[in-house]
Amino acid sequence: MAEDPNVIYQDYFMKAKDELEIYEEQLSTTDLQAIAEERIKIYTAIAKFADKIYTERDKYVNSNEYKEKCHWMKVTQQEVEKLAAQKPPSEELMKEFAMKRIVLMKNGKLDELQIKNIHTDRNNYLAIALEFYSYLAAHGDNSDVFISRLVSLWCSNPSNNDVMRILKKGLDDVPSYKFLKVLPQLASRLGYTDLAFTRLLARLLLRCCKEHPYHSLNHLMALQNATYDALDAHEEESGKLLQTNAKQIIEELKRDKKIRSIIRDLYDVSTALIDLANKECEKNAFGNIKLSPNEKIFTIGIRNLFHLPIVDLPIRKDCQYTNITHVTNWPGEYSLMGGINAPKLLKCRCSDGQSRSIILKGNDDLHQDALMQQVFLYINDIFRAEPHLQMLQIRTYRIIPLTKRSGYMEFCANSIPLSSYLTKAHSRYRPHEISFSEGRKIVMDYSPCEPKEKLEKFLELCEKIRPVFHNYFIEEFSNPREWYDKRLTYINTVASTSMVGYILGIGDRHLSNILLDQKTAQIIHIDFGISFERGLIQRTPELVPFRLTRDMVSAMGFLGTDGVFRRSCEMTMEVLRENQATINTILEVLLYDPLCNWSTSQQPAIDASANGSIHVSEQKNASAARALFRVNEKLSGRESNTTVHSVSTQVERLIQQAINPANLSRMFHGWSAFY
């Protein structure tokens, strides 16, 4: 029989904590390091235990079983009142009614006591978990996980007085630099309506901005400018509370003279880039387009307190940032890149003497893309911890939202879309085969057909188009050793991005959304508007877990998917499964970001912070909960049934789904499954 959690907590965990404190008093200062390490172990165990009990109680409180129990408690109370109001005609019936009423009242009291105990345990263990997570966040080495869980528990309980009491002290003990990774998610919670919560959050954000302005202010500026380029009045009203609170914090920061100057430069450059991002171009414009000297980007002059965010700026624990990289010269022209919203490629010269390029995007909310880059950075930390997994790291790039509908990102230098190479290579190596445009037209023409006929026509098309991607490595890397190393890099990055992409439900992997670094041969994924299985509810559902078409396989050598690729996929899945708890903790904070929508519905997202009447519980929408549930199913090796698959079986099933012609034949014609 399992022991009561309260008994376990008092008799084991608290006893261990007390024994440690007694032992510490008897030691010399030279032994304090060993004690500190032991304390971290004990506090970690206590925090995880308390978190586990809290989570169990919280799940129960939100379960159908709990709702049903509350319903029957209400029914029982009504029955008691009904019996009390009745006047039986005989004394015998009066005794029977009284006995029945007593039984119902006793049962009702037992149910009430159980419910009360559940809520007491939930609140007590929530407070314990937060108290110890706060200490671990302040003093532990693996602080990212502790910070993520701390933020998740805090944001899930914004109206809890005990939570506010603990965190008023606990947050102040945590160095501000430890919050920088989750700062976008913290800032997006400024739209919550609970005054005590937003005051405490504002105090934390103020500290982060004062001590690390170049890592923090961008996020608040994007919230303040959220509707700077709004198209209509409704869009301007959306998220008003969030915008107002962000503006108030920025006004408070302006009291500091140095911070005020940084804010001024950041605002001027940000608004100039917003204007340029939304600048309309002439129809059918192409090539380099000249900019007017009157453009705001030129009239504001050089702003040497604006650090270009795409340039890495190491976090300093002493908060002394003296060597930032600002823009010394903006070009007189930009070039248009392909895409629906016509993104602009803009080059600039920086104070370190280097030229850099950014991609400006208007009419496009980049918050989700920026968040996916955060996820990749966390996963890279997991890969980086093991020397034999470092080759699996995902290539990332910086994305900076400026408003709700514009922003810019780092241009991936030396990279080309797969479409750019493959379309030319097929024409060069197979000049007599069906062209790229002809192939897409054939797929478009057979798209209304039944699945069986689609498969037949797709197989016919594949007979007329043979892979050429293997030639790329021979063309670019003539040295045998270099050829081998680059092809290995390609295979490893395809494997890791495929497995991570599957776990995160990343779709829309057409040839223009996958880049190839021509120097390192790394695969780089861009555009994450369709994530967490939203591809399944498109007009043409995506039936493959990742892109593994014949051209991509041909570049892997004669073993194809059965060599290094399969083993790298298994290694990736193994480490992701081993770190399921860590990934789940991090994703819980990121997925419930009010600025992002992970719905598998094609209906537009409702801004959860559009007005002050929406409670935080409503912001924990079903789409985020479902996305997190599906991630955990995949990390557990489960798919459409309850069977738990081994890593090797799971990887094999995924590869077969990805290369299955029946699935590929039913993909959208723009996906170009024949390449």
Side-chain angles (χ1 to χ4, degrees):
M1 184 176 177
E3 283 191 73
D4 182 88
N6 296 319
V7 174
I8 295 173
Y9 176 69
Q10 291 296 336
D11 291 358
Y12 296 97
F13 288 114
M14 292 311 294
K15 187 175 180 181
K17 178 176 176 289
D18 294 341
E19 289 288 340
L20 182 70
E21 290 173 356
I22 294 170
Y23 183 56
E24 184 179 7
E25 292 175 359
Q26 301 170 355
L27 293 177
S28 63
T29 54
T30 56
D31 299 317
L32 291 181
Q33 179 60 34
I35 285 292
E37 291 174 4
E38 196 62 31
R39 181 183 288 106
I40 292 295
K41 290 179 184 178
I42 292 173
Y43 282 20
T44 300
I46 295 173
K48 288 183 176 180
F49 172 77
D51 195 355
K52 180 175 179 289
I53 303 301
Y54 160 75
T55 302
E56 289 173 357
R57 302 297 187 265
D58 191 57
K59 282 183 178 179
Y60 177 74
V61 168
N62 290 288
S63 68
N64 289 329
E65 183 183 349
Y66 175 83
K67 291 174 185 174
E68 190 173 351
K69 181 180 279 291
C70 291
H71 168 72
W72 286 114
M73 280 175 58
K74 188 176 180 181
V75 170
T76 300
Q77 182 61 32
Q78 290 172 347
E79 187 67 20
V80 168
E81 292 171 359
K82 185 178 177 182
L83 287 170
Q86 287 183 355
K87 295 181 180 179
S90 66
E91 187 175 339
E92 187 178 342
L93 275 175
M94 185 179 294
K95 288 181 180 180
E96 184 181 334
F97 277 26
M99 184 62 69
K100 189 175 180 181
R101 183 165 162 251
I102 290 169
V103 170
L104 287 173
M105 287 175 67
K106 285 183 177 180
N107 287 336
K109 285 185 180 295
L110 286 173
D111 288 340
E112 284 178 15
L113 181 61
Q114 184 184 8
I115 294 295
K116 182 182 177 182
N117 288 339
I118 289 287
H119 281 279
T120 299
D121 276 358
R122 179 189 178 280
N123 291 332
N124 286 345
Y125 284 105
L126 170 62
I128 293 167
L130 283 170
E131 180 181 347
F132 285 94
Y133 276 136
S134 296
Y135 180 90
L136 292 167
H139 302 96
D141 292 331
N142 190 22
S143 58
D144 283 350
V145 176
F146 300 136
I147 288 286
S148 294
R149 190 56 184 153
L150 180 72
V151 170
S152 179
L153 292 174
W154 179 24
C155 294
S156 300
N157 299 275
S159 302
N160 189 306
N161 293 329
D162 288 337
V163 170
M164 294 303 114
R165 175 182 52 79
I166 292 167
L167 292 182
K168 274 181 182 177
K169 179 184 182 302
L171 292 179
D172 288 342
D173 293 336
V174 182
S176 59
Y177 74 87
K178 293 191 175 185
F179 289 103
L180 296 182
K181 275 192 175 181
V182 293
L183 202 73
Q185 285 67 51
L186 284 170
S188 68
R189 265 72 173 189
L190 283 170
Y192 285 11
T193 57
D194 190 278
L195 192 57
F197 173 87
T198 51
R199 280 178 178 170
L200 185 57
L201 176 57
R203 191 170 83 180
L204 174 60
L205 292 174
L206 278 166
R207 183 157 64 97
C208 290
C209 289
K210 287 178 180 178
E211 296 177 0
H212 308 280
Y214 299 108
H215 298 87
S216 309
L217 283 171
N218 271 310
H219 307 298
L220 284 175
M221 188 62 69
L223 296 177
Q224 177 189 271
N225 294 339
T227 57
Y228 181 89
D229 52 355
L231 294 176
D232 52 48
H234 171 74
E235 193 174 342
E236 287 183 4
E237 285 300 314
S238 177
K240 202 72 174 178
L241 180 60
L242 176 61
Q243 189 174 9
T244 300
N245 287 340
K247 189 172 182 179
Q248 286 177 353
I249 294 174
I250 288 177
E251 290 302 316
E252 179 68 23
L253 287 165
K254 286 180 181 179
R255 295 184 179 185
D256 183 304
K257 185 178 178 181
K258 183 179 177 181
I259 301 294
R260 182 167 67 245
S261 298
I262 297 173
I263 290 171
R264 178 202 63 210
D265 285 7
L266 175 61
Y267 177 81
D268 287 346
V269 176
S270 296
T271 51
L273 291 174
I274 296 168
D275 291 343
L276 187 54
N278 291 288
K279 184 181 178 65
E280 291 189 5
C281 304
E282 292 183 12
K283 197 174 181 180
N284 301 322
F286 65 94
N288 293 337
I289 299 175
K290 296 288 184 182
L291 283 169
S292 165
N294 296 323
E295 289 287 345
K296 187 175 180 179
I297 198 71
F298 300 128
T299 60
I300 61 174
I302 302 302
R303 295 307 176 98
N304 55 17
L305 290 178
F306 167 75
H307 172 75
L308 188 63
I310 67 167
V311 182
D312 184 50
L313 182 64
I315 295 170
R316 292 188 61 97
K317 295 180 183 180
D318 62 3
C319 307
Q320 298 301 310
Y321 296 97
T322 56
N323 192 27
I324 67 166
T325 304
H326 66 271
V327 178
T328 58
N329 178 258
W330 293 100
E333 60 184 21
Y334 63 86
S335 56
L336 289 175
M337 306 182 73
I340 297 173
N341 297 317
K344 302 172 179 71
L345 181 64
L346 188 66
K347 295 181 180 179
C348 60
R349 183 164 294 277
C350 299
S351 56
D352 59 358
Q354 293 189 39
S355 290
R356 293 181 172 86
S357 298
I358 61 173
I359 299 173
L360 273 172
K361 301 188 82 173
N363 198 31
D364 196 355
D365 189 348
L366 299 183
H367 282 98
Q368 275 185 205
D369 285 55
L371 188 143
M372 292 303 292
Q373 293 300 311
Q374 281 183 269
V375 177
F376 294 156
L377 287 170
Y378 277 115
I379 290 175
N380 280 346
D381 287 341
I382 294 171
F383 290 146
R384 204 175 291 115
E386 299 290 339
H388 69 288
L389 298 176
Q390 292 191 13
M391 76 286 192
L392 298 175
Q393 289 185 68
I394 300 168
R395 174 75 172 272
T396 60
Y397 51 93
R398 288 179 171 83
I399 298 176
I400 299 91
L402 292 171
T403 69
K404 283 184 180 180
R405 56 190 308 277
S406 61
Y408 62 100
M409 63 183 68
E410 177 183 0
F411 176 71
C412 297
N414 308 308
S415 65
I416 56 169
L418 287 184
S419 58
S420 178
Y421 174 78
L422 289 177
T423 51
K424 294 174 183 176
H426 274 276
S427 298
R428 189 165 71 252
Y429 288 103
R430 317 276 193 221
H432 303 297
E433 289 184 348
I434 290 175
S435 69
F436 178 70
S437 57
E438 289 173 331
R440 287 178 69 157
K441 186 177 185 307
I442 289 171
V443 177
M444 190 189 303
D445 289 343
Y446 75 58
S447 59
C449 299
E450 292 298 315
K452 185 178 179 180
E453 189 176 352
K454 282 183 180 180
L455 176 58
E456 292 173 357
K457 291 184 179 296
F458 178 74
L459 292 174
E460 288 176 12
L461 178 60
C462 289
E463 286 293 322
K464 299 173 183 177
I465 301 177
R466 291 174 294 167
V468 299
F469 196 23
H470 55 280
N471 292 299
Y472 174 81
F473 294 91
I474 299 172
E475 292 172 13
E476 296 295 325
F477 312 110
S478 56
N479 180 284
R481 179 66 191 182
E482 189 181 21
W483 170 86
Y484 177 81
D485 288 343
K486 300 306 181 189
R487 197 182 70 167
L488 197 61
T489 297
Y490 164 78
I491 295 171
N492 283 326
T493 54
V494 172
S496 61
T497 54
S498 295
M499 293 300 103
V500 172
Y502 157 71
I503 294 295
L504 300 177
I506 297 172
D508 199 27
R509 297 301 88 197
H510 58 72
L511 292 169
S512 294
N513 278 346
I514 303 177
L515 310 182
L516 177 69
D517 189 310
Q518 294 181 286
K519 286 192 174 181
T520 66
Q522 288 177 301
I523 285 294
I524 310 166
H525 285 258
I526 63 171
D527 195 349
F528 304 101
I530 296 179
S531 300
F532 297 101
E533 300 190 338
R534 292 182 73 179
L536 293 174
I537 52 87
Q538 301 302 303
R539 185 172 297 174
T540 304
E542 297 193 354
L543 304 179
V544 295
F546 41 80
R547 188 177 191 93
L548 195 61
T549 51
R550 295 176 307 142
D551 261 303
M552 295 197 72
V553 174
S554 76
M556 297 177 184
F558 71 93
L559 287 176
T561 62
D562 291 325
V564 175
F565 176 76
R566 183 184 299 274
R567 182 59 194 135
S568 293
C569 285
E570 290 174 353
M571 288 169 65
T572 303
M573 190 61 77
E574 280 170 6
V575 74
L576 292 177
R577 283 206 196 184
E578 288 168 5
N579 289 273
Q580 180 177 354
T582 298
I583 293 169
N584 184 68
T585 298
I586 291 163
L587 284 179
E588 189 172 15
V589 175
L590 302 182
L591 283 175
Y592 284 112
D593 188 330
L595 297 180
C596 295
N597 171 42
W598 309 111
S599 174
T600 52
S601 165
Q602 297 198 53
Q603 296 298 319
I606 298 173
D607 189 341
S609 48
N611 59 65
S613 65
I614 301 180
H615 191 267
V616 64
S617 62
E618 295 176 57
Q619 295 176 358
K620 285 194 165 186
N621 53 67
S623 59
R626 183 191 181 280
L628 196 60
F629 176 77
R630 288 291 295 129
V631 166
N632 279 295
E633 272 196 325
K634 294 172 184 178
L635 288 172
S636 300
R638 297 195 307 273
E639 193 47 59
S640 56
N641 51 50
T642 57
T643 304
V644 177
H645 298 292
S646 66
V647 168
S648 58
T649 301
Q650 186 179 23
V651 167
E652 171 63 20
R653 286 166 63 93
L654 292 173
I655 291 174
Q656 292 306 316
Q657 286 176 28
I659 64 175
N660 188 345
N663 291 337
L664 293 169
S665 66
R666 296 165 66 184
M667 295 295 287
F668 178 62
H669 69 271
W671 206 81
S672 310
F674 49 86
Y675 270 12

mmCIF file of all heavy atoms in Angstrom, residues 122-123 126-127 130 134 150 153-171 197 200:
data_model
loop_
_atom_site.group_PDB
_atom_site.id
_atom_site.type_symbol
_atom_site.label_atom_id
_atom_site.label_comp_id
_atom_site.label_asym_id
_atom_site.label_seq_id
_atom_site.Cartn_x
_atom_site.Cartn_y
_atom_site.Cartn_z
ATOM 1 N N ARG A 122 -3.022 20.235 -3.372
ATOM 2 C CA ARG A 122 -2.623 20.913 -4.610
ATOM 3 C C ARG A 122 -1.907 22.222 -4.296
ATOM 4 O O ARG A 122 -0.825 22.493 -4.824
ATOM 5 C CB ARG A 122 -3.852 21.169 -5.481
ATOM 6 C CG ARG A 122 -3.568 21.897 -6.783
ATOM 7 C CD ARG A 122 -4.865 22.291 -7.476
ATOM 8 N NE ARG A 122 -4.610 23.021 -8.702
ATOM 9 C CZ ARG A 122 -4.307 24.317 -8.767
ATOM 10 N NH1 ARG A 122 -4.209 25.034 -7.641
ATOM 11 N NH2 ARG A 122 -4.091 24.897 -9.918
ATOM 12 N N ASN A 123 -2.494 23.029 -3.449
ATOM 13 C CA ASN A 123 -1.921 24.340 -3.128
ATOM 14 C C ASN A 123 -0.639 24.218 -2.304
ATOM 15 O O ASN A 123 0.326 24.960 -2.535
ATOM 16 C CB ASN A 123 -2.948 25.197 -2.381
ATOM 17 C CG ASN A 123 -4.105 25.608 -3.271
ATOM 18 O OD1 ASN A 123 -3.955 25.729 -4.479
ATOM 19 N ND2 ASN A 123 -5.277 25.813 -2.680
ATOM 20 N N LEU A 126 2.148 22.880 -4.549
ATOM 21 C CA LEU A 126 2.519 23.926 -5.507
ATOM 22 C C LEU A 126 3.477 24.906 -4.836
ATOM 23 O O LEU A 126 4.515 25.276 -5.423
ATOM 24 C CB LEU A 126 1.259 24.667 -5.982
ATOM 25 C CG LEU A 126 1.485 25.942 -6.796
ATOM 26 C CD1 LEU A 126 2.225 25.637 -8.099
ATOM 27 C CD2 LEU A 126 0.145 26.629 -7.091
ATOM 28 N N ALA A 127 3.153 25.313 -3.616
ATOM 29 C CA ALA A 127 4.011 26.258 -2.882
ATOM 30 C C ALA A 127 5.386 25.642 -2.599
ATOM 31 O O ALA A 127 6.419 26.307 -2.743
ATOM 32 C CB ALA A 127 3.330 26.659 -1.576
ATOM 33 N N LEU A 130 7.461 25.486 -5.872
ATOM 34 C CA LEU A 130 7.960 26.809 -6.249
ATOM 35 C C LEU A 130 9.083 27.281 -5.336
ATOM 36 O O LEU A 130 10.056 27.894 -5.793
ATOM 37 C CB LEU A 130 6.810 27.819 -6.240
ATOM 38 C CG LEU A 130 5.868 27.766 -7.443
ATOM 39 C CD1 LEU A 130 4.642 28.636 -7.192
ATOM 40 C CD2 LEU A 130 6.580 28.222 -8.714
ATOM 41 N N SER A 134 12.725 27.787 -6.931
ATOM 42 C CA SER A 134 13.333 29.122 -6.858
ATOM 43 C C SER A 134 14.778 29.018 -6.386
ATOM 44 O O SER A 134 15.673 29.672 -6.953
ATOM 45 C CB SER A 134 12.539 30.017 -5.896
ATOM 46 O OG SER A 134 11.235 30.239 -6.375
ATOM 47 N N LEU A 150 9.566 26.728 -13.216
ATOM 48 C CA LEU A 150 9.171 27.813 -12.317
ATOM 49 C C LEU A 150 8.217 28.767 -13.031
ATOM 50 O O LEU A 150 7.151 29.126 -12.498
ATOM 51 C CB LEU A 150 10.420 28.559 -11.855
ATOM 52 C CG LEU A 150 10.232 29.744 -10.895
ATOM 53 C CD1 LEU A 150 9.833 29.247 -9.513
ATOM 54 C CD2 LEU A 150 11.510 30.563 -10.798
ATOM 55 N N LEU A 153 4.730 27.047 -13.719
ATOM 56 C CA LEU A 153 3.873 26.972 -12.534
ATOM 57 C C LEU A 153 3.361 28.355 -12.138
ATOM 58 O O LEU A 153 2.198 28.508 -11.743
ATOM 59 C CB LEU A 153 4.642 26.349 -11.368
ATOM 60 C CG LEU A 153 5.004 24.866 -11.514
ATOM 61 C CD1 LEU A 153 5.895 24.425 -10.361
ATOM 62 C CD2 LEU A 153 3.751 24.014 -11.578
ATOM 63 N N TRP A 154 4.206 29.348 -12.249
ATOM 64 C CA TRP A 154 3.822 30.725 -11.908
ATOM 65 C C TRP A 154 2.724 31.223 -12.835
ATOM 66 O O TRP A 154 1.689 31.730 -12.376
ATOM 67 C CB TRP A 154 5.069 31.606 -11.999
ATOM 68 C CG TRP A 154 4.845 33.067 -11.709
ATOM 69 C CD1 TRP A 154 3.840 33.628 -10.969
ATOM 70 C CD2 TRP A 154 5.648 34.162 -12.164
ATOM 71 N NE1 TRP A 154 3.977 34.994 -10.931
ATOM 72 C CE2 TRP A 154 5.075 35.340 -11.657
ATOM 73 C CE3 TRP A 154 6.800 34.237 -12.946
ATOM 74 C CZ2 TRP A 154 5.623 36.597 -11.921
ATOM 75 C CZ3 TRP A 154 7.350 35.485 -13.195
ATOM 76 C CH2 TRP A 154 6.757 36.663 -12.691
ATOM 77 N N CYS A 155 2.936 31.070 -14.125
ATOM 78 C CA CYS A 155 1.966 31.590 -15.097
ATOM 79 C C CYS A 155 0.661 30.800 -15.101
ATOM 80 O O CYS A 155 -0.371 31.302 -15.531
ATOM 81 C CB CYS A 155 2.576 31.581 -16.501
ATOM 82 S SG CYS A 155 3.960 32.730 -16.688
ATOM 83 N N SER A 156 0.707 29.557 -14.602
ATOM 84 C CA SER A 156 -0.516 28.751 -14.518
ATOM 85 C C SER A 156 -1.362 29.100 -13.299
ATOM 86 O O SER A 156 -2.528 28.716 -13.216
ATOM 87 C CB SER A 156 -0.155 27.254 -14.454
ATOM 88 O OG SER A 156 0.564 26.868 -15.586
ATOM 89 N N ASN A 157 -0.753 29.823 -12.343
ATOM 90 C CA ASN A 157 -1.459 30.150 -11.100
ATOM 91 C C ASN A 157 -1.283 31.626 -10.751
ATOM 92 O O ASN A 157 -0.785 31.970 -9.665
ATOM 93 C CB ASN A 157 -0.927 29.271 -9.968
ATOM 94 C CG ASN A 157 -1.140 27.800 -10.212
ATOM 95 O OD1 ASN A 157 -2.192 27.251 -9.918
ATOM 96 N ND2 ASN A 157 -0.125 27.137 -10.754
ATOM 97 N N PRO A 158 -1.690 32.532 -11.638
ATOM 98 C CA PRO A 158 -1.416 33.956 -11.428
ATOM 99 C C PRO A 158 -2.225 34.597 -10.304
ATOM 100 O O PRO A 158 -1.859 35.668 -9.817
ATOM 101 C CB PRO A 158 -1.777 34.577 -12.773
ATOM 102 C CG PRO A 158 -2.826 33.674 -13.328
ATOM 103 C CD PRO A 158 -2.440 32.300 -12.889
ATOM 104 N N SER A 159 -3.300 33.931 -9.888
ATOM 105 C CA SER A 159 -4.153 34.521 -8.848
ATOM 106 C C SER A 159 -3.931 33.899 -7.478
ATOM 107 O O SER A 159 -4.648 34.218 -6.527
ATOM 108 C CB SER A 159 -5.632 34.364 -9.243
ATOM 109 O OG SER A 159 -5.877 34.971 -10.491
ATOM 110 N N ASN A 160 -2.958 33.005 -7.378
ATOM 111 C CA ASN A 160 -2.703 32.299 -6.129
ATOM 112 C C ASN A 160 -1.837 33.162 -5.216
ATOM 113 O O ASN A 160 -0.691 33.485 -5.549
ATOM 114 C CB ASN A 160 -2.009 30.967 -6.435
ATOM 115 C CG ASN A 160 -1.894 30.079 -5.220
ATOM 116 O OD1 ASN A 160 -1.373 30.488 -4.191
ATOM 117 N ND2 ASN A 160 -2.371 28.847 -5.351
ATOM 118 N N ASN A 161 -2.360 33.534 -4.063
ATOM 119 C CA ASN A 161 -1.642 34.426 -3.140
ATOM 120 C C ASN A 161 -0.357 33.800 -2.597
ATOM 121 O O ASN A 161 0.653 34.489 -2.408
ATOM 122 C CB ASN A 161 -2.552 34.839 -1.982
ATOM 123 C CG ASN A 161 -3.694 35.725 -2.444
ATOM 124 O OD1 ASN A 161 -3.541 36.485 -3.407
ATOM 125 N ND2 ASN A 161 -4.834 35.638 -1.782
ATOM 126 N N ASP A 162 -0.392 32.485 -2.322
ATOM 127 C CA ASP A 162 0.810 31.816 -1.822
ATOM 128 C C ASP A 162 1.921 31.845 -2.862
ATOM 129 O O ASP A 162 3.101 31.997 -2.530
ATOM 130 C CB ASP A 162 0.489 30.362 -1.444
ATOM 131 C CG ASP A 162 -0.355 30.273 -0.178
ATOM 132 O OD1 ASP A 162 -0.308 31.236 0.622
ATOM 133 O OD2 ASP A 162 -1.050 29.263 0.008
ATOM 134 N N VAL A 163 1.540 31.679 -4.125
ATOM 135 C CA VAL A 163 2.516 31.727 -5.218
ATOM 136 C C VAL A 163 3.169 33.103 -5.266
ATOM 137 O O VAL A 163 4.397 33.226 -5.366
ATOM 138 C CB VAL A 163 1.843 31.397 -6.566
ATOM 139 C CG1 VAL A 163 2.784 31.689 -7.734
ATOM 140 C CG2 VAL A 163 1.402 29.940 -6.604
ATOM 141 N N MET A 164 2.357 34.140 -5.190
ATOM 142 C CA MET A 164 2.892 35.497 -5.236
ATOM 143 C C MET A 164 3.823 35.765 -4.036
ATOM 144 O O MET A 164 4.880 36.384 -4.186
ATOM 145 C CB MET A 164 1.747 36.520 -5.223
ATOM 146 C CG MET A 164 0.857 36.491 -6.451
ATOM 147 S SD MET A 164 1.745 36.744 -7.993
ATOM 148 C CE MET A 164 1.518 35.132 -8.754
ATOM 149 N N ARG A 165 3.433 35.266 -2.873
ATOM 150 C CA ARG A 165 4.243 35.492 -1.658
ATOM 151 C C ARG A 165 5.616 34.829 -1.797
ATOM 152 O O ARG A 165 6.648 35.443 -1.490
ATOM 153 C CB ARG A 165 3.495 34.925 -0.444
ATOM 154 C CG ARG A 165 4.282 34.991 0.858
ATOM 155 C CD ARG A 165 3.489 34.372 2.005
ATOM 156 N NE ARG A 165 3.005 33.041 1.701
ATOM 157 C CZ ARG A 165 3.766 31.951 1.758
ATOM 158 N NH1 ARG A 165 5.050 32.051 2.087
ATOM 159 N NH2 ARG A 165 3.249 30.761 1.483
ATOM 160 N N ILE A 166 5.636 33.603 -2.253
ATOM 161 C CA ILE A 166 6.902 32.875 -2.395
ATOM 162 C C ILE A 166 7.794 33.513 -3.451
ATOM 163 O O ILE A 166 9.003 33.689 -3.256
ATOM 164 C CB ILE A 166 6.626 31.396 -2.747
ATOM 165 C CG1 ILE A 166 5.981 30.693 -1.549
ATOM 166 C CG2 ILE A 166 7.894 30.680 -3.178
ATOM 167 C CD1 ILE A 166 5.394 29.351 -1.889
ATOM 168 N N LEU A 167 7.191 33.889 -4.579
ATOM 169 C CA LEU A 167 7.990 34.397 -5.690
ATOM 170 C C LEU A 167 8.463 35.833 -5.497
ATOM 171 O O LEU A 167 9.433 36.247 -6.127
ATOM 172 C CB LEU A 167 7.211 34.262 -6.999
ATOM 173 C CG LEU A 167 6.987 32.815 -7.467
ATOM 174 C CD1 LEU A 167 6.259 32.792 -8.800
ATOM 175 C CD2 LEU A 167 8.309 32.061 -7.584
ATOM 176 N N LYS A 168 7.785 36.604 -4.661
ATOM 177 C CA LYS A 168 8.257 37.968 -4.391
ATOM 178 C C LYS A 168 9.682 37.948 -3.855
ATOM 179 O O LYS A 168 10.495 38.806 -4.178
ATOM 180 C CB LYS A 168 7.322 38.662 -3.393
ATOM 181 C CG LYS A 168 6.130 39.339 -4.051
ATOM 182 C CD LYS A 168 5.246 40.024 -3.026
ATOM 183 C CE LYS A 168 4.031 40.640 -3.709
ATOM 184 N NZ LYS A 168 3.113 41.268 -2.718
ATOM 185 N N LYS A 169 9.977 36.954 -3.044
ATOM 186 C CA LYS A 169 11.333 36.809 -2.526
ATOM 187 C C LYS A 169 12.165 35.917 -3.447
ATOM 188 O O LYS A 169 13.310 36.222 -3.772
ATOM 189 C CB LYS A 169 11.301 36.200 -1.128
ATOM 190 C CG LYS A 169 12.705 36.004 -0.548
ATOM 191 C CD LYS A 169 12.666 35.314 0.786
ATOM 192 C CE LYS A 169 14.070 35.182 1.377
ATOM 193 N NZ LYS A 169 15.000 34.439 0.508
ATOM 194 N N GLY A 170 11.571 34.819 -3.892
ATOM 195 C CA GLY A 170 12.317 33.832 -4.676
ATOM 196 C C GLY A 170 12.884 34.369 -5.966
ATOM 197 O O GLY A 170 14.037 34.093 -6.322
ATOM 198 N N LEU A 171 12.109 35.177 -6.701
ATOM 199 C CA LEU A 171 12.569 35.703 -7.983
ATOM 200 C C LEU A 171 13.737 36.660 -7.813
ATOM 201 O O LEU A 171 14.643 36.711 -8.660
ATOM 202 C CB LEU A 171 11.420 36.405 -8.714
ATOM 203 C CG LEU A 171 10.275 35.519 -9.208
ATOM 204 C CD1 LEU A 171 9.207 36.365 -9.898
ATOM 205 C CD2 LEU A 171 10.776 34.429 -10.148
ATOM 206 N N PHE A 197 -0.064 39.684 -10.167
ATOM 207 C CA PHE A 197 0.797 38.932 -11.083
ATOM 208 C C PHE A 197 1.567 39.877 -12.004
ATOM 209 O O PHE A 197 2.783 39.762 -12.158
ATOM 210 C CB PHE A 197 -0.050 37.956 -11.911
ATOM 211 C CG PHE A 197 0.717 37.249 -12.992
ATOM 212 C CD1 PHE A 197 1.400 36.078 -12.722
ATOM 213 C CD2 PHE A 197 0.764 37.760 -14.286
ATOM 214 C CE1 PHE A 197 2.127 35.428 -13.719
ATOM 215 C CE2 PHE A 197 1.482 37.125 -15.285
ATOM 216 C CZ PHE A 197 2.158 35.949 -14.991
ATOM 217 N N LEU A 200 4.360 41.877 -10.253
ATOM 218 C CA LEU A 200 5.548 41.081 -9.986
ATOM 219 C C LEU A 200 6.308 40.801 -11.284
ATOM 220 O O LEU A 200 7.542 40.861 -11.326
ATOM 221 C CB LEU A 200 5.149 39.765 -9.312
ATOM 222 C CG LEU A 200 6.286 38.851 -8.850
ATOM 223 C CD1 LEU A 200 7.214 39.578 -7.873
ATOM 224 C CD2 LEU A 200 5.721 37.587 -8.216
#
